[in-house]
Amino acid sequence: MRGAVRAFLAVLLLILFPIFVLALGIGGTIAGINIGGRGGIYLAIVAVGLMLALGFGLVQALRTRLTPPDGPRLTRQEQPMLWQLVDELAANAQTRPPDEIILVPEINAAVQEDARGLGLQAGRRYMMIGLPLLAGLNVSELRSVLAHELGHYGGGHTRLLAITYRGAETLRRTVGRLDSGPARWILNGYARLYLMVSRSATRSQELQADAYSVAAAGRFTASEALRKIATMDMFWEAYADRFLNLPQLAQRTPDILLGFRFFLDAPENQRIRAEYEPKVLDAESSSVYDSHPTIRKRIAAIQNLPDNPAAPDQRPGWSVIMNPAQVLPAAEGVLYIRGEIGPKAGWDEIARLGCAELAAKNAARLAEAARQSGAAPSGALGEILNAVGRGEMVRLIAPLVREGIDPNEQIDAVRNLLTGLLGAVIVTALISQGRAHHELRWGGPAQVIGPNGPLDVAELVGPAVANPGLVPQFVARLQQLGVPLDFVRLPAPEAAAQQRPNDGQPQLMSVAPGIMAFRKTWDAFVTDIGLLLIPVKMSKLAGQNLSGMMGQGGQALNGRINTLLENGAAGLFARDDGRWVLNQNIVDGEHKKFLTGGGKIKLDFADGTKAEIRTDSDENFEVLLTYFSEVAAQSRQQAGG
């Protein structure tokens, strides 16, 4: 009952929103007339302009339809076992099954209905199944998850979803038409109130849908499925970071889901899951804006439901898929690979080839940096070690270290970077002789197998980097291993050109104006080699904020950007007040979207330092997120070891 009341309040807030917009405009106009004079006229004009802008955005948003999910379709004809399971669970929930089942890349399962007439008229139904769930859950757990989603249909929750989606989209688009100023603040407050009420209703619905999970699979399985999904994101990200860069490097096409199953089943990762699961559940945030209750709260509620224990089916979730050996790789090609990589190969071969290529790339990075710095003009291993022995580590890899690094952090960053790169040179030299290779380990980094068995490269290199006086002993050890000191791995000509951003004209891709980074406000220009940051003067910001009071900040901003570009891209890149954040220095990072608009992106640099970029604009955040995602994907192929 409480959930129904909250749902009603959410719909009521949506219905009242057009009245609120009209009241804002008419009230401002009346106030302006009563005030009189220039100030009153100004207020009335602004109020009418805001009302028209908001009204236009409102009409656009109300026409919005739920976008059909994108992904491979699993039809009844091709997948009778899966559809039989879904039909059975739908019958148990006393609802009609979905019209389509679609595979999606996320670790999630969801249902959606394109209901019309404020959710009163039934529409086309979609069920989305995250591809990783088919590897991470067993058949019984997958049954529990699908029963939960079909429970949303049975409870009529998807009808409300159509309403709340349109409500959120209406508010987002309407507020989005304003750049800044009091009107945006007021409407942001209304949007937050709407989200708070509507999300409260959806949290109640999640608890109701869990009852269908228990009825389909029992309390233990329903709880275990929730626990697994809570940690699966963490393991998927770790799997992607460690292994999904290797196929591109190896030029081989992998079985992604099969690899994920191997990764999850590794004893080391099973121990990590058992250790971190309670911490993940305890760290789960609880907010009035959350769409789901915490996992602990859901598990506690499940324990109070009548049990329906069933014999567990421990087979992988993909066992409900007909012909998985063909269907799943085809889906992986659509959702993850998106292009031709190379011939199909097993993970052992992919790890061997990919790790070798990654080591070679890092060896080439060190050789090129040594040549550019002049510390080792030939880039050969022996010359590099001589430079280390002379105490020239900082000079040696200066081209790879970000400018402006804190001096207190510099020596540790240099040592860590040089240890990894020197190790890559040694491994590459041995591989080139056919005397070493990488061996796949799902529970940790690939093991280097050298001439005499497993070789701990960091243990071999680390002491000499930490203490240059040990370089002669290090050289003797390398000679014992048969590592040629004249070995050099130079980058391919096109790769070397990419490492030197000033050799050619960068290509301007997009613009993200007014972002915050390094404690300043900048206009960010995205190029093929990195971000060019141009500082924004305080006088310019003040002028834009004044324009924003009238909801016209966008025009002032466009004028500022046009001024920067009036001499073309060449003139922009020639400015002496710009600051470059180069792609080659970015190794990883993370991002977070803000509820009130915009978000932040944290960047990890190769020298161990970090930086944060923030924006309160959704459009800017999407520009920066697209850039960061592409650079992060590339860096996983070029950095690390």
Side-chain angles (χ1 to χ4, degrees):
M1 178 62 71
R2 292 173 60 190
V5 171
R6 293 165 183 164
F8 171 77
L9 289 176
V11 175
L12 182 62
L13 281 173
L14 176 59
I15 294 173
L16 290 177
F17 181 62
I19 300 174
F20 178 76
V21 172
L22 287 173
L24 186 67
I26 295 173
T29 302
I30 294 174
I33 294 173
N34 289 335
I35 292 173
R38 285 188 176 181
I41 294 173
Y42 173 80
L43 178 60
I45 292 173
V46 170
V48 171
L50 289 176
M51 184 173 63
L52 292 176
L54 293 175
F56 182 72
L58 179 61
V59 170
Q60 277 191 321
L62 288 174
R63 291 177 177 174
T64 299
R65 298 285 301 277
L66 286 172
T67 303
D70 192 20
R73 265 60 176 169
L74 302 179
T75 66
R76 285 184 176 273
Q77 294 75 19
E78 295 173 347
Q79 298 299 329
M81 282 198 306
L82 174 62
W83 277 95
Q84 182 181 359
L85 171 62
V86 171
D87 287 341
E88 175 198 338
L89 296 175
N92 293 343
Q94 297 182 338
T95 187
R96 66 183 175 90
D99 297 291
E100 295 186 50
I101 298 178
I102 303 162
L103 293 176
V104 294
E106 299 85 11
I107 297 177
N108 189 30
V111 288
Q112 182 175 301
E113 183 174 359
D114 192 12
R116 304 179 187 181
L118 284 178
L120 300 177
Q121 182 180 349
R124 190 166 184 81
R125 290 181 168 183
Y126 305 94
M127 170 175 277
M128 292 79 77
I129 302 175
L131 198 57
L133 295 181
L134 299 179
L137 301 178
N138 63 38
V139 171
S140 292
E141 292 159 351
L142 181 64
R143 177 185 176 90
S144 170
V145 170
L146 298 184
H148 171 95
E149 298 306 329
L150 289 165
H152 285 304
Y153 284 144
H157 303 162
T158 53
R159 303 283 184 88
L160 177 66
L161 176 64
I163 303 172
T164 56
Y165 172 83
R166 286 190 174 85
E169 185 69 8
T170 296
L171 293 170
R172 186 188 69 81
R173 288 198 180 191
T174 307
V175 174
R177 294 189 65 81
L178 295 178
D179 298 301
S180 60
R184 180 170 181 131
W185 303 335
I186 294 171
L187 292 180
N188 263 334
Y190 196 100
R192 292 171 71 92
L193 175 62
Y194 176 81
L195 279 175
M196 183 174 64
V197 174
S198 63
R199 293 291 171 82
S200 176
T202 57
R203 288 195 298 273
S204 296
Q205 292 165 3
E206 292 299 324
L207 295 175
Q208 295 167 20
D210 282 336
Y212 293 92
S213 294
V214 175
R219 290 194 304 231
F220 174 81
T221 298
S223 300
E224 188 64 13
L226 289 176
R227 290 190 180 97
K228 279 190 176 181
I229 292 174
T231 56
M232 202 177 297
D233 266 322
M234 176 180 73
F235 280 98
W236 179 260
E237 289 180 7
Y239 171 63
D241 286 342
R242 293 186 199 174
F243 297 101
L244 293 189
N245 64 321
L246 297 178
Q248 189 68 45
L249 290 165
Q251 293 295 289
R252 296 292 187 272
T253 300
D255 284 312
I256 295 177
L257 242 59
L258 184 62
F260 187 45
R261 182 75 183 196
F262 289 150
F263 181 74
L264 291 173
D265 287 344
E268 299 91 339
N269 295 332
Q270 291 283 340
R271 288 194 293 270
I272 291 173
R273 177 179 176 255
E275 177 184 350
Y276 276 88
E277 180 189 290
K279 298 177 182 179
V280 170
L281 297 184
D282 289 340
E284 199 173 7
S285 64
S286 180
S287 165
V288 294
Y289 300 109
D290 289 338
S291 61
H292 288 62
T294 64
I295 298 295
R296 285 209 183 278
K297 184 173 182 179
R298 292 176 66 182
I299 291 175
I302 283 173
Q303 301 312 310
N304 294 325
L305 295 172
D307 199 6
N308 182 31
D313 187 339
Q314 299 289 355
R315 294 176 300 158
W318 65 57
S319 301
V320 302
I321 301 295
M322 298 284 289
N323 195 14
Q326 292 185 7
V327 172
L328 298 182
E332 293 168 2
V334 173
L335 297 176
Y336 301 124
I337 298 175
R338 295 174 184 166
E340 191 69 27
I341 295 182
K344 195 73 174 286
W347 276 103
D348 287 330
E349 179 182 347
I350 289 172
R352 178 172 54 81
L353 295 175
C355 289
E357 179 63 19
L358 184 59
K361 285 179 177 292
N362 283 322
R365 289 178 67 208
L366 179 56
E368 181 67 10
R371 294 176 65 194
Q372 287 185 38
S373 67
S378 71
L381 175 59
E383 274 196 353
I384 291 173
L385 293 177
N386 288 337
V388 174
R390 295 193 302 268
E392 297 184 6
M393 287 187 298
V394 174
R395 178 190 174 195
L396 182 69
I397 61 171
L400 300 177
V401 179
R402 184 172 63 87
E403 294 181 5
I405 185 174
D406 187 332
N408 296 323
E409 301 176 355
Q410 186 183 54
I411 190 62
D412 287 338
V414 167
R415 283 175 177 168
N416 291 336
L417 182 58
L418 184 58
T419 298
L421 296 178
L422 261 178
V425 176
I426 293 166
V427 171
T428 302
L430 290 172
I431 290 176
S432 68
Q433 296 176 325
R435 304 178 66 240
H437 67 276
H438 290 85
E439 191 171 90
L440 176 64
R441 293 194 306 173
W442 289 111
Q447 175 71 62
V448 177
I449 306 299
N452 303 316
L455 180 64
D456 190 330
V457 180
E459 186 178 275
L460 174 67
V461 176
V465 173
N467 181 4
L470 297 178
V471 168
Q473 294 94 313
F474 178 45
V475 170
R477 175 64 177 140
L478 294 181
Q479 290 173 333
Q480 290 175 359
L481 289 172
V483 178
L485 297 180
D486 60 352
F487 178 81
V488 58
R489 176 62 182 259
L490 296 176
E494 59 272 16
Q498 290 176 2
Q499 293 186 16
R500 296 187 294 270
N502 293 327
D503 285 352
Q505 177 73 38
Q507 181 180 356
L508 184 61
M509 314 289 285
S510 55
V511 181
I515 60 101
M516 290 292 298
F518 307 107
R519 299 181 180 180
K520 292 183 180 180
T521 302
W522 314 79
D523 289 327
F525 294 85
V526 180
T527 77
D528 58 335
I529 66 166
L531 287 178
L532 173 60
L533 304 180
I534 302 296
V536 180
K537 295 181 180 179
M538 293 302 297
S539 59
K540 294 286 187 181
L541 283 177
Q544 183 182 334
N545 290 337
L546 180 61
S547 300
M549 295 294 290
M550 299 179 60
Q552 300 298 315
Q555 294 185 11
L557 185 149
N558 290 338
R560 189 175 78 225
I561 299 301
N562 289 337
T563 299
L564 289 173
L565 293 173
E566 62 185 0
N567 293 322
L572 177 70
F573 299 142
R575 292 176 64 100
D576 57 8
D577 59 347
R579 177 170 182 167
W580 281 96
V581 178
L582 297 176
N583 297 348
Q584 68 188 54
N585 293 333
I586 300 173
V587 295
D588 206 348
E590 57 186 33
H591 58 84
K592 179 180 180 181
K593 186 172 177 59
F594 297 149
L595 181 65
T596 54
K600 64 180 179 180
I601 295 177
K602 294 183 178 179
L603 301 177
D604 297 339
F605 296 103
D607 58 17
T609 59
K610 301 177 183 291
E612 182 176 285
I613 300 176
R614 302 172 67 96
T615 175
D616 60 2
S617 162
D618 284 337
E619 184 177 355
N620 280 353
F621 181 69
E622 291 301 322
V623 169
L624 294 172
L625 182 58
T626 299
Y627 161 76
F628 165 71
S629 299
E630 293 175 354
V631 173
Q634 294 172 3
S635 70
R636 281 193 285 266
Q637 300 175 13
Q638 299 173 353

